[in-house]
């Protein structure tokens, strides 16, 4: 079945540690890729997106993600996390590759950053 | 600020008693979506409106209906809520050619 998979449901890190959250999708063809973040008690916010071009995408708050087409992956990274990065992170795919934006979400990864 | 507003933030309803969740937007976006998010699961698209055109996902139960009386408002109606319908319900908007959604804060529905 077509899906979006996030490998880790919970991640616990200390401040200044590096972060990598995995995301794989199973849709063929052209896709648009997104990472959203949900801080405690807040709504989903867009971190970054990939449509085309440079597969290394930089987003807000020092986050970046790399699209590897051959691996159907779009992993999220941050070199040094802060306590304020504690949140839930969702990978999402628009399998139509544009036009109408039907987003399919992964199950999310809860990140807890300890001071 | 332009935004997507969902009311209420928390809703408690009785088993089988119809309930309506509301969403409003000041973005003038063409497309409005309703997602259901159960605990520790991915948000799941229930349906969307493209202007006045309603698009239901194939696996959305008949128990879930939606109305969009104008561009700004969209409602989710649950005709006979069951215990399994307890979840966070997310409203989102987008333009058809845009690059992402704007989400509301969600309504957490509890069924007792």
């Amino acid at each position: 079945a077509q899906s979006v998979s996030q490998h880790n449901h919970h991640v616990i890190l200390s401040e200044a540690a590096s972060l990598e959250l995995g995301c794989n999708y199973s849709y063929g063809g052209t896709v648009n890729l997104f990472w959203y973040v949900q801080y405690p008690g807040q709504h989903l916010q867009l971190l970054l997106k990939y449509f085309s071009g440079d597969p290394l995408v930089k987003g807000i708050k020092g986050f970046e993600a790399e699209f590897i087409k051959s691996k159907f992956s779009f992993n999220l990274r941050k070199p040094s996390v802060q306590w304020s990065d504690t949140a839930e992170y969702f990978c999402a795919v628009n399998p139509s590759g544009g036009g109408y934006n039907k987003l399919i979400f992964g199950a999310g990864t809860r990140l807890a950053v300890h001071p | 600020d332009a935004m997507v507003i969902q009311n209420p933030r928390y809703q408690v309803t009785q088993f089988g008693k119809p309930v309506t969740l509301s969403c409003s937007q000041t973005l003038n976006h063409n497309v409005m979506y309703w997602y259901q998010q159960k605990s520790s699961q991915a948000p799941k698209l229930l349906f969307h409106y493209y202007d006045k055109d309603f698009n239901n996902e194939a696996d959305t139960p008949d128990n879930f209906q939606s109305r969009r009386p104008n561009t700004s408002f969209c409602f989710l109606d649950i005709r006979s809520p069951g215990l399994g319908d307890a979840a966070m319900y997310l409203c989102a908007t987008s333009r058809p050619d845009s690059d992402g959604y704007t989400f509301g804060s969600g309504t957490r529905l509890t069924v007792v």
Side-chain angles (χ1 to χ4, degrees), chain A residues 9-10 34 36 38 41-46 49 51 88 90 98-108 110, chain B residues 9 31 33 35 37 40-43 45 48 50 57 88 90 94-101 103-106:
Chain A
H9 290 297
H10 293 91
F34 305 82
Y36 282 84
Q38 189 169 29
Q42 296 188 27
H43 59 277
L44 285 164
Q45 301 172 43
L46 182 66
K49 60 185 185 290
F51 278 25
E88 188 156 20
F90 292 92
Y100 161 48
N101 296 313
K102 178 177 177 174
L103 286 184
I104 309 300
F105 284 86
R110 284 189 188 274
Chain B
R9 289 292 301 275
V31 195
Y33 311 80
Y35 278 82
Q37 186 181 15
S40 302
Q41 297 184 23
L45 182 64
H48 76 275
Y50 188 140
E57 292 300 299
M88 175 73 83
L90 300 170
S94 75
R95 291 190 303 270
D97 58 347
S98 75
D99 54 7
Y101 287 18
F103 282 88
S105 299

Tab-separated table of all heavy atoms in Angstrom, chain A residues 9-10 34 36 38 41-46 49 51 88 90 98-108 110, chain B residues 9 31 33 35 37 40-43 45 48 50 57 88 90 94-101 103-106:
chain	number	residue	atom	x	y	z
A	9	HIS	N	9.184	6.673	16.520
A	9	HIS	CA	8.018	7.326	17.094
A	9	HIS	C	8.425	8.309	18.192
A	9	HIS	O	7.765	9.325	18.378
A	9	HIS	CB	7.055	6.281	17.656
A	9	HIS	CG	6.387	5.476	16.591
A	9	HIS	ND1	5.556	6.042	15.659
A	9	HIS	CD2	6.445	4.165	16.299
A	9	HIS	CE1	5.109	5.099	14.835
A	9	HIS	NE2	5.640	3.949	15.200
A	10	HIS	N	9.497	7.954	18.920
A	10	HIS	CA	9.962	8.823	19.998
A	10	HIS	C	11.473	8.930	19.917
A	10	HIS	O	12.163	7.921	19.743
A	10	HIS	CB	9.566	8.259	21.370
A	10	HIS	CG	8.102	8.260	21.622
A	10	HIS	ND1	7.293	7.191	21.316
A	10	HIS	CD2	7.287	9.219	22.113
A	10	HIS	CE1	6.050	7.485	21.637
A	10	HIS	NE2	5.997	8.711	22.119
A	34	PHE	N	7.253	17.355	2.336
A	34	PHE	CA	7.128	18.376	3.366
A	34	PHE	C	7.526	17.800	4.728
A	34	PHE	O	7.373	16.601	4.981
A	34	PHE	CB	5.669	18.860	3.492
A	34	PHE	CG	5.061	19.360	2.217
A	34	PHE	CD1	4.536	18.473	1.294
A	34	PHE	CD2	4.994	20.712	1.957
A	34	PHE	CE1	3.959	18.931	0.114
A	34	PHE	CE2	4.417	21.182	0.787
A	34	PHE	CZ	3.897	20.291	-0.138
A	36	TYR	N	6.458	18.994	8.645
A	36	TYR	CA	5.700	19.897	9.506
A	36	TYR	C	6.117	19.653	10.956
A	36	TYR	O	6.501	18.546	11.340
A	36	TYR	CB	4.192	19.640	9.379
A	36	TYR	CG	3.574	20.229	8.138
A	36	TYR	CD1	3.620	19.556	6.933
A	36	TYR	CD2	2.943	21.467	8.186
A	36	TYR	CE1	3.039	20.100	5.790
A	36	TYR	CE2	2.363	22.020	7.058
A	36	TYR	CZ	2.419	21.327	5.863
A	36	TYR	OH	1.853	21.874	4.736
A	38	GLN	N	4.806	20.339	15.083
A	38	GLN	CA	3.689	20.697	15.960
A	38	GLN	C	4.240	20.848	17.374
A	38	GLN	O	4.558	19.845	18.025
A	38	GLN	CB	2.590	19.649	15.905
A	38	GLN	CG	1.319	20.056	16.624
A	38	GLN	CD	0.175	19.105	16.330
A	38	GLN	OE1	0.373	17.920	16.065
A	38	GLN	NE2	-1.047	19.613	16.374
A	41	GLY	N	0.579	22.025	22.159
A	41	GLY	CA	-0.565	22.916	22.238
A	41	GLY	C	-0.748	23.835	21.046
A	41	GLY	O	-1.610	24.705	21.063
A	42	GLN	N	0.061	23.637	20.016
A	42	GLN	CA	-0.035	24.525	18.855
A	42	GLN	C	-0.417	23.759	17.595
A	42	GLN	O	-0.501	22.543	17.584
A	42	GLN	CB	1.292	25.251	18.645
A	42	GLN	CG	1.662	26.177	19.795
A	42	GLN	CD	2.866	27.028	19.472
A	42	GLN	OE1	3.154	27.326	18.297
A	42	GLN	NE2	3.586	27.446	20.493
A	43	HIS	N	-0.656	24.518	16.523
A	43	HIS	CA	-1.057	23.894	15.278
A	43	HIS	C	0.160	23.472	14.454
A	43	HIS	O	1.287	23.855	14.753
A	43	HIS	CB	-1.926	24.858	14.473
A	43	HIS	CG	-1.238	26.153	14.155
A	43	HIS	ND1	-1.184	27.195	15.036
A	43	HIS	CD2	-0.554	26.552	13.058
A	43	HIS	CE1	-0.526	28.187	14.495
A	43	HIS	NE2	-0.123	27.823	13.304
A	44	LEU	N	-0.091	22.664	13.462
A	44	LEU	CA	0.965	22.228	12.549
A	44	LEU	C	1.537	23.421	11.788
A	44	LEU	O	0.793	24.250	11.269
A	44	LEU	CB	0.414	21.202	11.555
A	44	LEU	CG	0.152	19.797	12.083
A	44	LEU	CD1	-0.741	19.033	11.132
A	44	LEU	CD2	1.463	19.050	12.279
A	45	GLN	N	2.863	23.477	11.727
A	45	GLN	CA	3.539	24.556	10.996
A	45	GLN	C	4.518	23.942	10.006
A	45	GLN	O	5.169	22.942	10.298
A	45	GLN	CB	4.317	25.450	11.963
A	45	GLN	CG	3.474	26.109	13.026
A	45	GLN	CD	4.335	26.821	14.046
A	45	GLN	OE1	5.301	27.508	13.699
A	45	GLN	NE2	4.008	26.661	15.313
A	46	LEU	N	4.635	24.575	8.860
A	46	LEU	CA	5.545	24.085	7.828
A	46	LEU	C	6.990	24.402	8.216
A	46	LEU	O	7.340	25.546	8.479
A	46	LEU	CB	5.203	24.731	6.490
A	46	LEU	CG	6.030	24.290	5.292
A	46	LEU	CD1	5.772	22.821	4.974
A	46	LEU	CD2	5.710	25.148	4.071
A	49	LYS	N	10.029	22.364	2.648
A	49	LYS	CA	9.367	21.624	1.576
A	49	LYS	C	10.342	21.413	0.432
A	49	LYS	O	11.297	22.173	0.256
A	49	LYS	CB	8.133	22.382	1.077
A	49	LYS	CG	8.441	23.771	0.523
A	49	LYS	CD	7.180	24.505	0.162
A	49	LYS	CE	7.489	25.851	-0.506
A	49	LYS	NZ	8.054	26.822	0.457
A	51	PHE	N	10.121	20.638	-3.796
A	51	PHE	CA	9.340	20.431	-5.016
A	51	PHE	C	10.242	19.942	-6.140
A	51	PHE	O	9.874	19.026	-6.867
A	51	PHE	CB	8.656	21.739	-5.430
A	51	PHE	CG	7.368	22.014	-4.699
A	51	PHE	CD1	7.122	21.483	-3.449
A	51	PHE	CD2	6.391	22.826	-5.261
A	51	PHE	CE1	5.948	21.734	-2.761
A	51	PHE	CE2	5.204	23.086	-4.590
A	51	PHE	CZ	4.981	22.549	-3.338
A	88	GLU	N	6.440	17.552	18.005
A	88	GLU	CA	6.191	16.387	17.166
A	88	GLU	C	6.426	16.794	15.706
A	88	GLU	O	6.003	17.872	15.279
A	88	GLU	CB	4.767	15.856	17.351
A	88	GLU	CG	4.528	14.529	16.652
A	88	GLU	CD	3.403	13.722	17.267
A	88	GLU	OE1	2.557	14.293	17.983
A	88	GLU	OE2	3.362	12.490	17.004
A	90	PHE	N	6.200	15.818	11.633
A	90	PHE	CA	5.468	15.006	10.658
A	90	PHE	C	6.061	15.186	9.262
A	90	PHE	O	6.225	16.313	8.790
A	90	PHE	CB	3.993	15.416	10.605
A	90	PHE	CG	3.221	15.088	11.843
A	90	PHE	CD1	3.097	16.016	12.869
A	90	PHE	CD2	2.605	13.858	11.982
A	90	PHE	CE1	2.377	15.725	14.009
A	90	PHE	CE2	1.880	13.553	13.126
A	90	PHE	CZ	1.768	14.488	14.135
A	98	GLY	N	1.984	18.143	-7.472
A	98	GLY	CA	1.618	19.513	-7.803
A	98	GLY	C	0.132	19.634	-8.032
A	98	GLY	O	-0.613	18.683	-7.923
A	99	GLY	N	-0.310	20.844	-8.375
A	99	GLY	CA	-1.738	21.056	-8.542
A	99	GLY	C	-2.442	20.899	-7.221
A	99	GLY	O	-2.052	21.479	-6.222
A	100	TYR	N	-3.471	20.079	-7.193
A	100	TYR	CA	-4.225	19.895	-5.968
A	100	TYR	C	-3.341	19.226	-4.921
A	100	TYR	O	-2.759	18.183	-5.144
A	100	TYR	CB	-5.470	19.073	-6.269
A	100	TYR	CG	-6.081	18.441	-5.052
A	100	TYR	CD1	-6.295	19.199	-3.912
A	100	TYR	CD2	-6.420	17.121	-5.042
A	100	TYR	CE1	-6.844	18.629	-2.793
A	100	TYR	CE2	-6.971	16.547	-3.922
A	100	TYR	CZ	-7.186	17.312	-2.798
A	100	TYR	OH	-7.723	16.751	-1.688
A	101	ASN	N	-3.286	19.842	-3.750
A	101	ASN	CA	-2.354	19.409	-2.726
A	101	ASN	C	-2.996	18.451	-1.735
A	101	ASN	O	-3.434	18.849	-0.674
A	101	ASN	CB	-1.834	20.616	-1.956
A	101	ASN	CG	-1.045	21.534	-2.856
A	101	ASN	OD1	-0.192	21.089	-3.611
A	101	ASN	ND2	-1.333	22.816	-2.789
A	102	LYS	N	-3.033	17.199	-2.065
A	102	LYS	CA	-3.539	16.185	-1.147
A	102	LYS	C	-2.357	15.644	-0.385
A	102	LYS	O	-1.536	14.912	-0.923
A	102	LYS	CB	-4.226	15.075	-1.926
A	102	LYS	CG	-4.737	13.938	-1.066
A	102	LYS	CD	-5.474	12.923	-1.923
A	102	LYS	CE	-5.926	11.732	-1.100
A	102	LYS	NZ	-6.762	10.823	-1.910
A	103	LEU	N	-2.236	15.988	0.872
A	103	LEU	CA	-1.099	15.575	1.674
A	103	LEU	C	-1.372	14.272	2.396
A	103	LEU	O	-2.422	14.099	3.010
A	103	LEU	CB	-0.749	16.648	2.704
A	103	LEU	CG	-0.061	17.906	2.199
A	103	LEU	CD1	0.287	18.814	3.356
A	103	LEU	CD2	1.190	17.567	1.421
A	104	ILE	N	-0.413	13.366	2.309
A	104	ILE	CA	-0.452	12.118	3.057
A	104	ILE	C	0.631	12.227	4.126
A	104	ILE	O	1.808	12.442	3.801
A	104	ILE	CB	-0.187	10.912	2.151
A	104	ILE	CG1	-1.092	10.948	0.918
A	104	ILE	CG2	-0.362	9.621	2.936
A	104	ILE	CD1	-2.568	10.921	1.225
A	105	PHE	N	0.248	12.031	5.384
A	105	PHE	CA	1.162	12.228	6.493
A	105	PHE	C	1.742	10.907	7.005
A	105	PHE	O	1.079	9.855	6.957
A	105	PHE	CB	0.438	12.892	7.664
A	105	PHE	CG	0.183	14.361	7.479
A	105	PHE	CD1	-0.950	14.791	6.810
A	105	PHE	CD2	1.069	15.302	7.961
A	105	PHE	CE1	-1.200	16.153	6.640
A	105	PHE	CE2	0.835	16.654	7.788
A	105	PHE	CZ	-0.304	17.079	7.127
A	106	GLY	N	2.944	10.989	7.533
A	106	GLY	CA	3.476	9.914	8.353
A	106	GLY	C	2.889	9.996	9.752
A	106	GLY	O	2.194	10.963	10.094
A	107	ALA	N	3.190	8.991	10.564
A	107	ALA	CA	2.597	8.903	11.903
A	107	ALA	C	3.208	9.880	12.893
A	107	ALA	O	2.679	10.051	13.988
A	107	ALA	CB	2.721	7.467	12.431
A	108	GLY	N	4.321	10.492	12.539
A	108	GLY	CA	4.917	11.492	13.418
A	108	GLY	C	6.022	10.928	14.289
A	108	GLY	O	6.048	9.732	14.599
A	110	ARG	N	7.852	12.042	17.951
A	110	ARG	CA	7.900	12.945	19.102
A	110	ARG	C	9.346	13.128	19.531
A	110	ARG	O	10.015	12.153	19.863
A	110	ARG	CB	7.099	12.380	20.271
A	110	ARG	CG	5.611	12.512	20.121
A	110	ARG	CD	4.891	12.138	21.411
A	110	ARG	NE	3.461	12.094	21.199
A	110	ARG	CZ	2.666	13.146	21.290
A	110	ARG	NH1	3.165	14.323	21.616
A	110	ARG	NH2	1.367	13.037	21.073
B	9	ARG	N	-11.954	24.351	20.903
B	9	ARG	CA	-10.694	23.610	21.019
B	9	ARG	C	-10.936	22.216	21.572
B	9	ARG	O	-10.271	21.260	21.190
B	9	ARG	CB	-9.709	24.345	21.933
B	9	ARG	CG	-9.123	25.615	21.347
B	9	ARG	CD	-8.197	25.306	20.167
B	9	ARG	NE	-7.084	24.442	20.507
B	9	ARG	CZ	-5.942	24.853	21.012
B	9	ARG	NH1	-5.741	26.132	21.264
B	9	ARG	NH2	-4.974	23.986	21.268
B	31	VAL	N	-9.337	25.949	-1.148
B	31	VAL	CA	-9.477	24.565	-0.704
B	31	VAL	C	-9.489	24.506	0.821
B	31	VAL	O	-8.662	25.143	1.482
B	31	VAL	CB	-8.336	23.673	-1.246
B	31	VAL	CG1	-8.697	22.206	-1.092
B	31	VAL	CG2	-8.043	23.993	-2.706
B	33	TYR	N	-9.844	21.543	4.022
B	33	TYR	CA	-9.718	20.120	4.290
B	33	TYR	C	-10.098	19.820	5.735
B	33	TYR	O	-9.896	20.640	6.623
B	33	TYR	CB	-8.257	19.666	4.132
B	33	TYR	CG	-7.550	20.094	2.877
B	33	TYR	CD1	-7.019	21.371	2.762
B	33	TYR	CD2	-7.356	19.207	1.834
B	33	TYR	CE1	-6.334	21.761	1.610
B	33	TYR	CE2	-6.664	19.579	0.692
B	33	TYR	CZ	-6.160	20.863	0.585
B	33	TYR	OH	-5.484	21.232	-0.538
B	35	TYR	N	-9.089	16.803	8.483
B	35	TYR	CA	-8.298	15.636	8.816
B	35	TYR	C	-8.725	15.119	10.189
B	35	TYR	O	-9.077	15.889	11.075
B	35	TYR	CB	-6.802	15.983	8.897
B	35	TYR	CG	-6.076	16.020	7.582
B	35	TYR	CD1	-6.124	17.146	6.769
B	35	TYR	CD2	-5.326	14.933	7.158
B	35	TYR	CE1	-5.442	17.178	5.565
B	35	TYR	CE2	-4.634	14.958	5.959
B	35	TYR	CZ	-4.704	16.087	5.169
B	35	TYR	OH	-4.024	16.110	3.985
B	37	GLN	N	-7.117	12.954	13.342
B	37	GLN	CA	-5.847	12.449	13.875
B	37	GLN	C	-6.101	11.753	15.207
B	37	GLN	O	-6.405	12.404	16.211
B	37	GLN	CB	-4.845	13.583	14.053
B	37	GLN	CG	-3.469	13.100	14.476
B	37	GLN	CD	-2.479	14.230	14.672
B	37	GLN	OE1	-2.848	15.399	14.765
B	37	GLN	NE2	-1.205	13.892	14.720
B	40	SER	N	-1.225	9.035	18.405
B	40	SER	CA	-0.042	8.350	17.871
B	40	SER	C	-0.212	7.868	16.434
B	40	SER	O	0.482	6.939	16.007
B	40	SER	CB	0.356	7.161	18.757
B	40	SER	OG	0.620	7.589	20.067
B	41	GLN	N	-1.122	8.468	15.706
B	41	GLN	CA	-1.317	8.102	14.304
B	41	GLN	C	-1.156	9.321	13.403
B	41	GLN	O	-1.180	10.455	13.860
B	41	GLN	CB	-2.701	7.478	14.091
B	41	GLN	CG	-2.915	6.172	14.832
B	41	GLN	CD	-4.259	5.560	14.499
B	41	GLN	OE1	-4.852	5.828	13.450
B	41	GLN	NE2	-4.761	4.718	15.395
B	42	ALA	N	-0.999	9.058	12.133
B	42	ALA	CA	-0.885	10.135	11.166
B	42	ALA	C	-2.232	10.814	10.969
B	42	ALA	O	-3.281	10.164	11.034
B	42	ALA	CB	-0.401	9.578	9.830
B	43	PRO	N	-2.242	12.118	10.713
B	43	PRO	CA	-3.495	12.758	10.303
B	43	PRO	C	-4.026	12.094	9.043
B	43	PRO	O	-3.275	11.825	8.103
B	43	PRO	CB	-3.075	14.207	10.029
B	43	PRO	CG	-1.821	14.411	10.817
B	43	PRO	CD	-1.134	13.083	10.815
B	45	LEU	N	-6.861	12.207	5.978
B	45	LEU	CA	-7.777	13.096	5.265
B	45	LEU	C	-9.164	12.470	5.192
B	45	LEU	O	-9.314	11.318	4.770
B	45	LEU	CB	-7.245	13.363	3.856
B	45	LEU	CG	-8.067	14.314	2.986
B	45	LEU	CD1	-8.091	15.724	3.597
B	45	LEU	CD2	-7.509	14.357	1.574
B	48	HIS	N	-12.423	17.070	1.419
B	48	HIS	CA	-12.040	18.453	1.185
B	48	HIS	C	-13.054	19.113	0.261
B	48	HIS	O	-13.809	18.438	-0.455
B	48	HIS	CB	-10.639	18.540	0.588
B	48	HIS	CG	-10.574	18.181	-0.864
B	48	HIS	ND1	-10.459	16.896	-1.312
B	48	HIS	CD2	-10.601	18.968	-1.970
B	48	HIS	CE1	-10.437	16.887	-2.628
B	48	HIS	NE2	-10.510	18.131	-3.061
B	50	TYR	N	-13.091	21.984	-2.766
B	50	TYR	CA	-12.413	22.874	-3.721
B	50	TYR	C	-13.490	23.841	-4.163
B	50	TYR	O	-14.333	23.505	-4.992
B	50	TYR	CB	-11.851	22.076	-4.882
B	50	TYR	CG	-10.965	22.858	-5.825
B	50	TYR	CD1	-9.828	22.273	-6.345
B	50	TYR	CD2	-11.247	24.158	-6.222
B	50	TYR	CE1	-9.003	22.948	-7.231
B	50	TYR	CE2	-10.432	24.834	-7.083
B	50	TYR	CZ	-9.316	24.236	-7.588
B	50	TYR	OH	-8.505	24.916	-8.448
B	57	GLU	N	-13.093	11.232	0.697
B	57	GLU	CA	-12.153	10.126	0.572
B	57	GLU	C	-12.941	8.818	0.584
B	57	GLU	O	-13.966	8.691	1.246
B	57	GLU	CB	-11.140	10.150	1.711
B	57	GLU	CG	-10.189	11.331	1.637
B	57	GLU	CD	-9.378	11.361	0.367
B	57	GLU	OE1	-8.607	10.417	0.118
B	57	GLU	OE2	-9.529	12.344	-0.399
B	88	MET	N	-8.440	14.059	17.437
B	88	MET	CA	-8.218	15.470	17.118
B	88	MET	C	-8.667	15.676	15.675
B	88	MET	O	-8.296	14.883	14.799
B	88	MET	CB	-6.743	15.826	17.256
B	88	MET	CG	-6.410	17.250	16.831
B	88	MET	SD	-6.991	18.470	18.007
B	88	MET	CE	-5.631	18.424	19.181
B	90	LEU	N	-8.544	18.195	12.528
B	90	LEU	CA	-7.760	19.318	12.027
B	90	LEU	C	-8.393	19.865	10.757
B	90	LEU	O	-8.736	19.113	9.847
B	90	LEU	CB	-6.331	18.866	11.699
B	90	LEU	CG	-5.521	18.281	12.857
B	90	LEU	CD1	-4.235	17.663	12.334
B	90	LEU	CD2	-5.203	19.367	13.868
B	94	SER	N	-5.733	25.658	1.694
B	94	SER	CA	-4.653	25.922	0.750
B	94	SER	C	-5.241	26.536	-0.513
B	94	SER	O	-6.442	26.454	-0.758
B	94	SER	CB	-3.887	24.640	0.396
B	94	SER	OG	-4.640	23.824	-0.490
B	95	ARG	N	-4.374	27.162	-1.294
B	95	ARG	CA	-4.749	27.490	-2.669
B	95	ARG	C	-4.413	26.284	-3.516
B	95	ARG	O	-3.500	25.529	-3.186
B	95	ARG	CB	-3.973	28.716	-3.154
B	95	ARG	CG	-4.364	30.008	-2.478
B	95	ARG	CD	-3.712	31.187	-3.210
B	95	ARG	NE	-2.271	31.064	-3.273
B	95	ARG	CZ	-1.442	31.535	-2.356
B	95	ARG	NH1	-1.931	32.153	-1.287
B	95	ARG	NH2	-0.145	31.395	-2.498
B	96	PRO	N	-5.099	26.074	-4.624
B	96	PRO	CA	-4.850	24.863	-5.402
B	96	PRO	C	-3.452	24.787	-5.981
B	96	PRO	O	-2.930	23.707	-6.212
B	96	PRO	CB	-5.917	24.921	-6.510
B	96	PRO	CG	-6.460	26.287	-6.495
B	96	PRO	CD	-6.221	26.861	-5.145
B	97	ASP	N	-2.813	25.918	-6.187
B	97	ASP	CA	-1.475	25.884	-6.757
B	97	ASP	C	-0.407	26.228	-5.732
B	97	ASP	O	0.716	26.552	-6.076
B	97	ASP	CB	-1.380	26.872	-7.909
B	97	ASP	CG	-1.702	28.297	-7.475
B	97	ASP	OD1	-2.224	28.474	-6.358
B	97	ASP	OD2	-1.418	29.225	-8.240
B	98	SER	N	-0.744	26.146	-4.464
B	98	SER	CA	0.190	26.581	-3.436
B	98	SER	C	1.088	25.426	-3.015
B	98	SER	O	0.980	24.318	-3.506
B	98	SER	CB	-0.554	27.128	-2.228
B	98	SER	OG	-1.109	26.065	-1.486
B	99	ASP	N	1.935	25.726	-2.086
B	99	ASP	CA	2.956	24.769	-1.712
B	99	ASP	C	2.818	24.279	-0.283
B	99	ASP	O	3.782	23.859	0.325
B	99	ASP	CB	4.328	25.399	-1.920
B	99	ASP	CG	4.458	26.730	-1.198
B	99	ASP	OD1	3.539	27.085	-0.433
B	99	ASP	OD2	5.481	27.393	-1.394
B	100	GLY	N	1.662	24.334	0.266
B	100	GLY	CA	1.486	23.805	1.613
B	100	GLY	C	0.153	24.205	2.186
B	100	GLY	O	-0.606	24.963	1.577
B	101	TYR	N	-0.117	23.664	3.333
B	101	TYR	CA	-1.363	23.950	4.015
B	101	TYR	C	-1.145	24.972	5.122
B	101	TYR	O	-0.060	25.089	5.679
B	101	TYR	CB	-1.878	22.703	4.723
B	101	TYR	CG	-2.445	21.602	3.884
B	101	TYR	CD1	-2.215	21.487	2.539
B	101	TYR	CD2	-3.220	20.622	4.496
B	101	TYR	CE1	-2.752	20.437	1.820
B	101	TYR	CE2	-3.754	19.569	3.791
B	101	TYR	CZ	-3.520	19.484	2.449
B	101	TYR	OH	-4.053	18.444	1.743
B	103	PHE	N	-2.792	25.259	8.813
B	103	PHE	CA	-3.604	24.451	9.706
B	103	PHE	C	-4.215	25.285	10.817
B	103	PHE	O	-3.618	26.260	11.288
B	103	PHE	CB	-2.754	23.352	10.353
B	103	PHE	CG	-2.480	22.196	9.448
B	103	PHE	CD1	-1.381	22.195	8.610
B	103	PHE	CD2	-3.331	21.095	9.439
B	103	PHE	CE1	-1.136	21.129	7.767
B	103	PHE	CE2	-3.083	20.025	8.603
B	103	PHE	CZ	-1.987	20.039	7.762
B	104	GLY	N	-5.403	24.863	11.248
B	104	GLY	CA	-5.961	25.371	12.485
B	104	GLY	C	-5.364	24.616	13.663
B	104	GLY	O	-4.588	23.671	13.498
B	105	SER	N	-5.739	25.047	14.861
B	105	SER	CA	-5.199	24.438	16.079
B	105	SER	C	-5.854	23.105	16.411
B	105	SER	O	-5.374	22.389	17.293
B	105	SER	CB	-5.362	25.374	17.264
B	105	SER	OG	-4.652	26.576	17.042
B	106	GLY	N	-6.950	22.795	15.721
B	106	GLY	CA	-7.596	21.511	15.950
B	106	GLY	C	-8.686	21.569	17.006
B	106	GLY	O	-8.717	22.463	17.857
